[in-house]
Every structure is written in C-alpha cells, then in structure tokens.
C-alpha cells in the first residue's frame, strides 16, 4: 500500500469507521480514538497490507481495539442482557429506543447488525471484519434481530 492508497482509504472509510465506533462505544471521543488507532496501525503496516483488503482490516482493527478497551475497563454482568423493556411517556423517540435495544445486545451481535443494517456490508465482508464465516454472521444477525424484536415488541405499543 502506498501513500496515495492510504490517503484514499482515509477519505473513503473514515466516516463509516467513525459511525461504527460510535455505535460500539456510545462515546465520540472513544470512537475518534478507535478510528485514529486503526489508521495508525494501517500506516505502520502499510508495506504488508494490500489496498484491496484495507477496508476489512480497518473495521476489524476498530472492533478488536474496542473489545480490548472494554475488557480492560469494565466487567459485564449477566443482568445487563436480561433487562425488561421500560418505556415511559417521555421516551417515545424511536431512535432512542433503538439505541437502548442495541445496547443490550452482546458485542458480537451488535457489531454484526450494525455492519449489516447500518453500514450495508455483505455477510462475507462482515465475516472478514469480525473474523467469522458467513454462516456464523447470519446466525448472529438473526439472533440480534430476534432479540431486538423481543425488546422493542410491537411498534404500536411504543408509539
């Protein structure tokens, strides 16, 4: 990968990486750090990275760095994944409800659903990013959608 290809990768993938980082971390500063670390790693290893594979390398790096930082900073309790949906009269913003629903998903499911439904990647591309095969990706996405459906329930009940 040469300097021109690296600059093209920055232009082409930085926004998507940032959105992915925000959805994972729910923090703008952390997302910026994740993206910066990913591009730094690509720059350091630019001699060994093929330009065609830089996209999956970048997303995989952001994902792995997020998991590493999460492991260092927080112990996740099982209760976080078994919360009952709670909606008050003030909480009718669908985006807020969806973000709460996404937050209860396990990391791998959330990442897969974000890459598929928010960023539009194919199952094979998601597999490259998350180091899974396409069948595993499909299973994680299916389970995530089912859990989201269960959490949100009927849309009419929320509105």
């Amino acid at each position: 990968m040469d300097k021109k290809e690296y600059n093209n990768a920055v232009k082409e993938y930085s926004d998507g990486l940032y959105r992915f980082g925000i959805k994972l971390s729910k923090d703008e500063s952390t997302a910026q750090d994740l993206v910066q670390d990913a591009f730094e790693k690509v720059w350091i290893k630019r001699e060994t990275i093929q330009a065609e594979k830089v996209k999956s390398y970048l997303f995989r790096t952001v994902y792995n760095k997020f998991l590493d930082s999460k492991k260092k900073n927080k112990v996740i309790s099982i209760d976080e994944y078994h919360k009952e949906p709670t909606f008050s009269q003030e909480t009718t913003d669908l985006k807020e409800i969806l973000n709460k629903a996404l937050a209860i998903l396990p990391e791998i499911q959330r990442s897969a659903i974000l890459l598929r439904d928010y960023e539009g990647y194919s199952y094979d591309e998601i597999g490259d990013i998350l180091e899974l095969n396409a069948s595993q990706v499909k299973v994680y996405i299916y389970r995530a959608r089912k859990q989201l459906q269960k959490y949100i329930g009927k849309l009419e009940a929320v509105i």
Side-chain angles (χ1 to χ4, degrees):
M1 168 177 261
D2 61 20
K3 186 176 179 180
K4 183 179 178 183
E5 291 170 327
Y6 176 82
N7 288 333
N8 286 339
V10 171
K11 287 178 189 173
E12 191 169 341
Y13 304 122
S14 60
D15 288 341
L17 281 171
Y18 179 68
R19 286 190 306 267
F20 183 56
I22 285 180
K23 289 293 183 183
L24 286 175
S25 66
K26 296 171 193 59
D27 180 61
E28 291 180 11
S29 177
T30 302
Q32 290 171 350
D33 290 344
L34 292 171
V35 172
Q36 184 176 359
D37 289 347
F39 279 112
E40 178 185 22
K41 188 173 180 181
V42 167
W43 180 253
I44 291 168
K45 296 186 175 194
R46 69 187 177 278
E47 301 296 326
T48 60
I49 298 173
Q50 299 173 3
E52 307 83 45
K53 298 193 179 211
V54 72
K55 177 182 173 182
S56 62
Y57 187 88
L58 285 165
F59 276 88
R60 182 177 40 233
T61 301
V62 167
Y63 178 71
N64 288 340
K65 291 224 178 253
F66 170 74
L67 289 181
D68 290 345
S69 69
K70 188 160 179 126
K71 286 177 189 175
K72 290 177 186 175
N73 296 331
K74 184 179 177 186
V75 176
I76 301 170
S77 71
I78 194 74
D79 295 332
E80 288 184 39
Y81 296 112
H82 298 290
K83 294 179 183 173
E84 289 297 317
T86 56
F87 304 110
S88 66
Q89 291 295 337
E90 302 91 40
T91 311
T92 57
D93 183 21
L94 294 179
K95 184 176 179 181
E96 182 181 335
I97 294 168
L98 183 57
N99 286 336
K100 286 181 182 180
L102 285 169
I104 66 163
L105 293 175
E107 295 301 326
I108 190 79
Q109 289 180 7
R110 181 177 344 138
S111 298
I113 201 91
L114 289 172
L115 288 169
R116 179 69 181 170
D117 293 340
Y118 280 70
E119 299 297 328
Y121 291 110
S122 71
Y123 294 117
D124 291 328
E125 290 173 319
I126 296 168
D128 288 343
I129 293 167
L130 301 179
E131 298 176 336
L132 303 168
N133 64 44
S135 297
Q136 290 172 310
V137 170
K138 290 177 185 177
V139 168
Y140 283 126
I141 289 173
Y142 174 80
R143 289 178 181 167
R145 287 179 178 159
K146 284 302 217 184
Q147 197 165 351
L148 289 172
Q149 184 180 26
K150 182 180 175 183
Y151 181 87
I152 295 172
K154 292 191 178 243
L155 190 59
E156 296 82 27
V158 175
I159 296 179

